[in-house]
Amino acid sequence: MIARLAHRSIPASRLVAGLDLPMLFAVLALLGIGLVMVASASMDLASRNFGEPFHFFQRQILFAFLGLLAGLVFWSVPLRRWETAGPLLLVLILLLLVVVLIPGVGRTVNGATRWIPLGVFNLQVSEPVKLLVVLYMSGYIVRHYSNLRLHFIGFVRPLIALGLGTVLLLLQPDFGGAVIMLAIGMGMLFLAGAKLWQFAALGATIAVAMSLMALATPYRVARLTAFLDPWQDPFATGFQLTQSLIAIGSGSWLGAGLGGSVQKLFYLPEAHNDFLFAVFAEEFGFAGVVVLVGLFTLLVWRCFVIALRAERGGHAFGSHVAFGIGIWIGLQAAINLGVNMGVLPTKGLTLPFLSYGGSSLIVTLAAMGLLSRVQWEAQVPVPRKRGRTS
């Protein structure tokens, strides 16, 4: 069925021409690095806990396969269908965030209820919500473009809906997911032409509110304290960050080589997940970090190039989708790297394409399929919608 969708009377020449090769190279390179690093960072933990050193690696291979299938499915769906599904997408966002909080449905780990068991893996609901927010916001911007630019209510209305989603995320609690979701929405509104003073005023209000919520929760206060001075309590609240900094510093210029990390063995918690970058930096050094940052920069740049290409071709919805995906991937990668290097407080966010986890990898690869669909449809220019009014 999937193959039939993917090759529905489409000439091979157009399929090849519809690929953005630099974007494809960046995605495949990041995916390959991620698979190798999950294996390297998790072998000792997998041996101790499961008696199989490649336990996490094998599961990540499965997640990558499912993600590529999801990407193919998203590539096969015409953008027009996503554009007309705006209200349903909003309902789905809120439904996912509510269902995970129902006792007996959501799975709780370390005091956080963020996952819905699906057999093969546990779905972390904040991951598909990010992609759904990109699709919902893109449709809203296209439908209410004039309202958004001329009236304050047009700017605030979608953020009210996202505010409700933020409250539901904080109930899990998932502070990092809430920050990313709001940032995606506000970033897309800004690029769509929202007035700067509106953006700045609302952004400042949200920042103050999020700061107050962070300070009102003891464990978040502890995270902030550890972030400001992790060496004050290096064996308790600052343990994870200090071990991450030791790993990164040990990498020097060229690193200890693949598999040579010491911190991943007994010291660095979540070495194959949120802090995979620290292990990568220890094994490949500054040179490897430059390559990794370069790949993420290339990917985000291609997202914006595809967005501008779609805009010039009259594909307004596709343009906003590509902008949204670029904001999401770039911001989440920057936050994860910042957390690993002690520049930002711990958020519990994965590094796209690299960190272990089914939800993140599958949804991210699905987003790449959607991005490829934008690129493919942008080949055929269409007349712009007259006035792009609401």
Side-chain angles (χ1 to χ4, degrees), residues 45-264:
L45 178 65
S47 295
R48 283 186 277 119
N49 291 350
F50 301 99
E52 166 54 62
F54 293 107
H55 172 81
F56 293 107
F57 173 68
Q58 291 168 354
R59 288 180 61 82
Q60 193 75 345
I61 287 283
L62 173 61
F63 298 150
F65 175 73
L66 293 175
L68 291 172
L69 286 180
L72 182 57
V73 170
F74 270 75
W75 179 88
S76 303
V77 178
L79 294 177
R80 180 62 184 166
R81 295 189 180 181
W82 295 115
E83 184 177 351
T84 57
L88 293 178
L89 293 174
L90 179 58
V91 170
L92 184 56
I93 290 170
L94 298 177
L95 183 63
L96 283 171
L97 295 176
V98 169
V99 166
V100 74
L101 296 174
I102 298 176
V105 177
R107 183 166 182 257
T108 302
V109 178
N110 296 328
T113 308
R114 304 175 184 173
W115 299 268
I116 298 177
L118 295 180
V120 178
F121 68 100
N122 296 315
L123 176 67
Q124 185 173 351
V125 296
S126 63
E127 295 298 335
V129 161
K130 295 169 190 172
L131 181 54
L132 292 172
V133 164
V134 169
L135 290 167
Y136 166 71
M137 290 299 300
S138 299
Y140 178 88
I141 291 168
V142 171
R143 291 191 304 273
H144 303 280
Y145 186 73
S146 295
N147 236 0
L148 168 63
R149 294 177 64 90
L150 300 176
H151 305 290
F152 184 66
I153 187 62
F155 173 71
V156 172
R157 189 182 297 159
L159 292 178
I160 293 175
L162 294 185
L164 179 56
T166 299
V167 172
L168 293 171
L169 278 169
L170 292 175
L171 289 176
Q172 296 181 11
D174 188 351
F175 191 77
V179 169
I180 289 291
M181 186 180 71
L182 279 175
I184 291 172
M186 294 192 66
M188 292 180 69
L189 289 173
F190 179 71
L191 291 179
K195 294 179 180 178
L196 184 59
W197 72 266
Q198 295 175 344
F199 185 83
L202 196 58
T205 302
I206 292 175
V208 171
M210 297 290 276
S211 300
L212 291 176
M213 283 186 281
L215 294 173
T217 310
Y219 88 93
R220 292 194 187 110
V221 174
R223 282 186 172 186
L224 287 172
T225 304
F227 151 68
L228 295 172
D229 187 7
W231 303 102
Q232 186 178 6
D233 193 0
F235 299 106
T237 57
F239 183 75
Q240 196 167 30
L241 180 53
T242 55
Q243 298 306 315
S244 176
L245 293 174
I246 290 171
I248 293 172
S250 301
S252 190
W253 289 100
L254 299 177
L258 180 62
S261 170
V262 174
Q263 296 305 115
K264 70 183 181 185

